[in-house]
Amino acid sequence: FSLKPGDTLLGWRPEVVEGLKRVNPGVIRFPGGCFASFHDWRNAIGSMDNRIPEDSYFWGDVNYNDVGTDEFLQLCELLGCQAMLVVNLFHPGKKLYNNSRPNGNALEPEAHGGFIPDITDIEAGIECARQLVEYCNGGVNTPMGKKRAENGHPKPYGVKYFEMDNEAFRWFEPADYAALISRYSQAMKSVDPSVQIGMISYYEYGENLESMLDICGEYVDFLADRVCAPDNIARKVAIVRQYNASHEHQIYYCDTEAHQARPNAMAPFTAQYYQDHDIDFCRSRRTWLYALTLVGNLMNYHRYGGIVHFMCFNNLCNTTGQSCIEVDKKGCILPMCGQIFERMSRTEAAWALKIEGYEPDSLKSVEIQAAWNHDESKLVLYLLNKCDQDTSVTIDFSGLGRTFSRQFSTRMSAESGAVQETMKSQGHVHYDYCYAP
C-alpha cells in the first residue's frame, strides 16, 4: 500500500508545486552537489521497489532514490523550467574516499567509510554519462530512450544543462579534469549536440581557468561557479570574455550553487550586523538581511548582461537555513529568499543602464539600479537598502529624453534584518504598493 495522497501531480503535492511556481525557477540543479559525486543515475529509474538506496557520504543518512531522474525531470515539466543534471565523473579514488588527493598543498585523503567499486572506472563513467543523455533526450528507437519509454515517458525530456561533477578537485588535478571533460563532452554530444556542458571553476580550479580552457574550451559551454563575491565574478567573467574574443566557440558564466553569505560577498554593514547580533552562518541564511544580499547579487549578475546566463540558488527546499520553499506535513511557505525570487524572477528589467555619478557595487549597503524593459517602453528601478537607516535617492531622468506618464512601485520591507519567515511564524515581509498616473 502507499501513503501517497490521491491528489498528487505526478507524485508531487499540489500545494508544493504551486509554491514552486510562485518561486518561478528558470533552472533547477539535480541531484545536488556532494551527493552527485557518488550517485549512479541508473539506481534511480524504473520501479521504486527495485531502486538501489545510496548513502549520502558528506551529509549523512541514506537517499532511497524515491525522487529519481524521471521524478525530477517531470517536476521540471510541471514547473515549465529547465533541468541541470550533475554528472558523476567516475574516479578510482571514489571507491574509498570523499577526497583522494595526494599530500602536499592539496587536500588530504579522507575516507567516506563505504566501498563503492562501481564508480571507479573512467571509461565506464564516460559511457554512463553518454547513456544519461540518451535516456533524457534520445528517441524511443535508442536503447536508453526505449528504457525511458518503458518507464512511462516516451517523449524525450530535452535536458539542456549538464554540470561536470561537484568539487571535482577532490579527485582530479586541474589538467586531468579538463582533459577528461573533453572526452565526456564528445561522448555526450554524440547523442545530442545541443546539450550544454559546464566546467566547475571555483576554489583551486578557479586559479587555473586559463590553462584548463586551453585544454577543453571547445568542449565546454559554461563555467559553473559558486562564489558570489563581486571580485570573483568580475575576474571569471573577464576570463570568459578573453576566451570568447579569441575563439569561435563561445562560452558563458553561471553560478550553480550560490550562497549569498560567503566571505567578501556581504556589505560591511551586513557582516557587522551578524556579528553584533550573534547570528551564525547557518542562522544568517534565514534572515531578511540575507534576502537583501540576494537582491544585490542578482542586480550584479544583471549588470553583466548575456554573458551570465543563470544562477542556481542553494537550495531549492528544506535545507540548512537557505531555501526557496519550506515544506512540512501540513503545508508549505515561501521564506524570505523565496519571496525575493517570486518578485525578481518576474522583473521586466532587461537592459541595465549606467547612472552618471554613481558606481554600482553589490557590497554597498544602499544600491540603486535602472534598466529598460525589452522593448524600452518601461524603465525599471531598484532601490535596495540593506542597513537600518532610512535613505532617499534623487534621480534625474531628463538625460533619457523620455516623458513617463505613470508609475507603479512595490516596496518590500521587514522590521529588522534578523527577522525570519518560518512555518511557525509567518507574515514578516510587508508589501506596500503605489500607483501614480
Side-chain angles (χ1 to χ4, degrees):
F1 70 97
S2 172
L3 297 178
K4 185 184 297 184
D7 63 346
T8 65
L9 300 173
L10 301 177
W12 298 93
R13 285 164 45 187
E15 71 272 21
V16 175
V17 174
E18 289 306 308
L20 289 172
K21 286 182 177 178
R22 286 179 57 191
V23 175
N24 193 33
V27 178
I28 305 180
R29 179 179 183 245
F30 180 85
C34 295
F35 176 78
S37 293
F38 301 101
H39 174 64
D40 188 332
W41 67 273
R42 295 168 297 191
N43 293 337
I45 60 173
S47 169
M48 290 188 182
D49 293 339
N50 296 324
R51 295 185 186 180
I52 301 174
E54 296 174 321
D55 288 316
S56 179
Y57 293 102
F58 281 77
W59 296 100
D61 215 332
V62 177
N63 187 330
Y64 290 93
N65 283 323
D66 290 339
V67 175
T69 307
D70 288 288
E71 288 77 19
F72 167 68
L73 295 178
Q74 288 168 26
L75 175 64
C76 290
E77 288 183 332
L78 286 172
L79 300 178
C81 69
Q82 294 279 355
M84 178 166 63
L85 297 178
V86 184
V87 178
N88 176 1
L89 272 60
F90 289 11
H91 186 277
K94 291 186 177 184
K95 177 170 66 176
L96 296 172
Y97 299 109
N98 278 337
N99 161 55
S100 63
R101 295 295 299 276
N103 295 329
N105 294 327
L107 299 168
E108 294 288 337
E110 177 185 351
H112 52 56
F115 181 73
I116 323 174
D118 296 335
I119 58 170
T120 59
D121 186 280
I122 289 177
E123 299 302 322
I126 294 172
E127 174 59 16
C128 182
R130 189 202 67 77
Q131 290 180 354
L132 174 60
V133 177
E134 187 174 285
Y135 185 85
C136 294
N137 298 355
V140 294
N141 58 328
T142 64
M144 289 294 108
K146 179 181 179 182
K147 183 178 288 291
R148 182 194 65 244
E150 292 171 349
N151 290 336
H153 201 281
K155 182 181 178 181
Y157 288 111
V159 177
K160 182 177 181 180
Y161 302 108
F162 292 86
E163 183 179 2
M164 296 295 100
D165 216 312
N166 176 83
E167 299 184 8
F169 49 80
R170 294 175 177 272
W171 302 279
F172 298 95
E173 297 289 349
D176 296 333
Y177 174 71
L180 190 57
I181 283 182
S182 301
R183 299 187 60 203
Y184 267 82
S185 178
Q186 290 177 78
M188 295 165 72
K189 292 194 175 193
S190 71
V191 177
D192 183 353
S194 71
V195 299
Q196 305 281 282
I197 303 297
M199 179 180 79
I200 66 172
S201 58
Y202 44 87
Y203 304 160
E204 63 185 87
Y205 283 5
E207 304 305 316
N208 295 275
L209 276 181
E210 291 94 336
S211 60
M212 293 170 71
L213 287 173
D214 287 341
I215 296 170
C216 67
E218 63 180 302
Y219 302 107
V220 167
D221 298 288
F222 62 94
L223 296 187
D225 204 12
R226 62 167 57 174
V227 182
C228 288
D231 57 345
N232 170 76
I233 298 170
R235 188 178 74 83
K236 303 284 179 61
V237 168
I239 291 172
V240 171
R241 286 176 170 157
Q242 182 180 13
Y243 178 88
N244 289 346
S246 57
H247 293 80
E248 182 178 353
H249 176 67
Q250 303 288 283
I251 62 176
Y252 53 92
Y253 174 92
C254 301
D255 191 327
T256 57
E257 193 174 306
H259 289 280
Q260 313 303 304
R262 293 192 188 277
N264 303 319
M266 295 180 290
F269 170 84
T270 303
Q272 190 64 47
Y273 185 94
Y274 288 148
Q275 181 177 329
D276 293 345
H277 292 78
D278 196 27
I279 298 175
D280 63 20
F281 181 73
C282 284
R283 183 185 166 205
S284 73
R285 297 188 292 188
R286 292 186 179 275
T287 64
W288 176 238
L289 198 51
Y290 190 89
L292 296 181
T293 301
L294 167 62
V295 177
N297 288 331
L298 291 172
M299 290 165 59
N300 186 35
Y301 289 129
H302 183 202
R303 289 193 290 272
Y304 284 106
I307 202 152
V308 176
H309 278 213
F310 60 82
M311 177 265 269
C312 277
F313 190 73
N314 185 325
N315 285 9
L316 183 68
C317 179
N318 287 22
T319 185
T320 54
Q322 177 179 247
S323 57
C324 296
I325 187 172
E326 292 284 335
V327 179
D328 68 8
K329 293 181 179 180
K330 297 180 180 179
C332 65
I333 65 163
L334 265 60
M336 298 291 189
C337 289
Q339 294 184 50
I340 292 298
F341 275 116
E342 183 178 24
R343 294 285 166 177
M344 295 290 283
S345 67
R346 292 174 171 85
T347 179
E348 292 188 70
W351 313 108
L353 301 175
K354 292 183 179 180
I355 300 176
E356 185 177 346
Y358 173 78
E359 187 65 33
D361 183 354
S362 61
L363 297 184
K364 289 182 176 180
S365 293
V366 177
E367 297 182 60
I368 191 165
Q369 192 151 303
W372 290 116
N373 66 345
H374 276 287
D375 64 4
E376 299 189 14
S377 62
K378 298 179 183 179
L379 186 67
V380 181
L381 297 177
Y382 295 124
L383 176 59
L384 173 62
N385 184 5
K386 305 174 194 173
C387 63
D388 56 0
Q389 302 295 318
D390 290 336
T391 187
S392 61
V393 173
T394 301
I395 305 176
D396 180 2
F397 296 122
S398 61
L400 295 174
R402 298 280 291 274
T403 300
F404 298 97
S405 59
R406 60 188 183 276
Q407 70 167 11
F408 178 79
S409 65
T410 300
R411 180 175 182 263
M412 298 176 66
S413 61
E415 293 182 2
S416 80
V419 72
Q420 303 179 28
E421 195 83 350
T422 68
M423 298 297 301
K424 294 183 179 180
S425 180
Q426 303 172 27
H428 298 291
V429 179
H430 307 294
Y431 293 82
D432 298 293
Y433 305 95
C434 179
Y435 176 79

